[in-house]
Amino acid sequence: MSAEQTALPEIRPHDGTKPDSAVVRDALGVGVAVGLSGFAFGVTSAGSGLTVLQTCALSLLVFTGASQFALVGALAAGGNPFTAAAGAFFLGVRNAFYGLRLSQLLALPRAVRPFAAQWVIDETTAVTLAQPTRRAARIGFTVTGLTLYVLWNLTTLAGAVGAEAIGDTDAWGLDAASPAVFLALLAPMLTTVTERITAGIAVLLVLGLLPVLPAGAPVLVAALAAPIVLFMKGRGTDARVAAGTGASDGTGRLAKGGGAGAADSSGDRGISRNPDGPDSAGNSDGPGSAGNSDSSGNSMKGAGR
């Protein structure tokens, strides 16, 4: 096979062009806006008891804001480190699904993919999927990932170092920064009724379980909101399909019954008109034939009258 045959085609056709400068501008806007929130993470992480080195290591190696905030938030609340890590891991699993889609869209060389995987997060995925061509998608992914990675780590360091000068983060209200940033990232993604219902049930589960479960565990339990909503939605669909099928079956049975009844009635009438069987049908001189002729004649006379 030739190189042209094995090469991956464009995922989306060139139905519209977008200048490279516009892609770079949009990517920089997202990267700078979200990258600056790394300061809030650095302050929150230092306030939870992690050292500056540990805080910076999280941003360098993990680099997924929601998981990092979930980890330090659970630790700050006195949660078990393993439970906190499990919650952070669960939130980070979504990036694996992003990677499945982006691997087809970007079609990067195999040698580059392990490094690009570090930048597969909410923001880079959103910018990449919004582009009309593969070239624009690659530019958007690269600029967003690079800008966000550099700024996130620099502001994390600044926040962790500055936390000592700030003192008590609760007094400044910075403890609310992590959930505020998370909600700001999550809210635009809730575009359907199903997603909003799922988010609402998850919030109710977390609020209801906070007093009874250790820190970090309510986040894990809240994940049950998704299968609950999908199960209820599936049952509703099955009920509608069953109702539609039942109506069709009822109509079909009526039609079949009517047809059978008509056929039986016709058959019975035919037998009653020809009581002598084959002889009356085949012999014009037979009594059956005469009877039929008389019947036909009487019917015709009746019709004439």
Side-chain angles (χ1 to χ4, degrees), residues 7-9 11 101-110 113 134 138:
L8 288 174
I11 302 300
R101 179 69 181 98
L102 294 185
S103 65
Q104 298 177 355
L105 181 57
L106 297 174
L108 297 173
R110 293 184 179 274
R113 292 181 185 179
R134 175 164 290 163
R138 287 178 172 177

Side-chain angles (χ1 to χ4, degrees), residues 244-260:
T245 304
S248 300
D249 291 345
T251 304
R253 284 195 295 272
L254 290 174
K256 292 178 182 177

Side-chain angles (χ1 to χ4, degrees), residues 232-301:
M232 298 303 297
K233 186 177 181 180
R235 289 194 61 181
T237 302
D238 293 341
R240 288 192 296 270
V241 172
T245 304
S248 300
D249 291 345
T251 304
R253 284 195 295 272
L254 290 174
K256 292 178 182 177
D264 292 341
S265 301
S266 175
D268 292 339
R269 285 195 297 271
I271 294 172
S272 64
R273 285 196 301 269
N274 298 290
D276 297 323
D279 291 338
S280 56
N283 299 322
S284 58
D285 298 331
S289 175
N292 288 339
S293 298
D294 293 340
S295 301
S296 300
N298 292 336
S299 299
M300 293 176 65
K301 290 179 183 178

Side-chain angles (χ1 to χ4, degrees), residues 40-146:
F41 169 73
V43 173
T44 305
S45 178
S48 68
L50 296 182
T51 65
V52 174
L53 180 59
Q54 291 171 331
T55 299
C56 292
L58 279 175
S59 288
L60 285 169
L61 302 177
V62 178
F63 188 56
T64 172
S67 297
Q68 292 178 232
F69 277 120
L71 176 63
V72 298
L75 293 176
N80 185 286
F82 295 102
T83 304
F89 173 81
F90 183 82
L91 289 174
V93 167
R94 72 190 187 284
N95 295 332
F97 296 99
Y98 294 160
L100 294 176
R101 179 69 181 98
L102 294 185
S103 65
Q104 298 177 355
L105 181 57
L106 297 174
L108 297 173
R110 293 184 179 274
V112 179
R113 292 181 185 179
F115 301 98
Q118 180 69 359
W119 291 353
V120 176
I121 54 176
D122 298 330
E123 294 76 20
T124 55
T125 301
V127 172
T128 302
L129 294 179
Q131 307 310 319
T133 63
R134 175 164 290 163
R135 172 182 171 82
R138 287 178 172 177
I139 294 174
F141 176 83
T142 303
V143 175
T144 305
L146 179 61

Side-chain angles (χ1 to χ4, degrees), residues 14-29:
H14 290 275
D15 53 358
T17 59
K18 187 174 183 180
D20 293 348
S21 59
V23 179
V24 172
R25 182 191 64 232
D26 295 343
L28 285 174

Side-chain angles (χ1 to χ4, degrees), residues 110-250:
R110 293 184 179 274
V112 179
R113 292 181 185 179
F115 301 98
Q118 180 69 359
W119 291 353
V120 176
I121 54 176
D122 298 330
E123 294 76 20
T124 55
T125 301
V127 172
T128 302
L129 294 179
Q131 307 310 319
T133 63
R134 175 164 290 163
R135 172 182 171 82
R138 287 178 172 177
I139 294 174
F141 176 83
T142 303
V143 175
T144 305
L146 179 61
T147 305
L148 185 52
Y149 189 77
V150 172
L151 275 181
W152 179 268
N153 282 280
L154 289 177
T155 53
T156 294
L157 175 61
V161 173
E164 298 179 0
I166 292 175
D168 186 9
T169 57
D170 292 341
W172 292 84
L174 294 177
D175 56 322
S178 59
V181 171
F182 182 75
L183 289 177
L185 295 174
L186 178 64
M189 301 179 186
L190 305 178
T191 57
T192 65
V193 176
T194 301
E195 292 171 348
R196 292 168 184 168
I197 293 176
T198 304
I201 294 176
V203 170
L204 293 176
L205 287 174
V206 170
L207 294 178
L209 296 175
L210 274 176
V212 295
L213 293 181
V219 175
L220 299 177
V221 179
L224 295 175
I228 289 174
V229 172
L230 292 177
F231 175 74
M232 298 303 297
K233 186 177 181 180
R235 289 194 61 181
T237 302
D238 293 341
R240 288 192 296 270
V241 172
T245 304
S248 300
D249 291 345

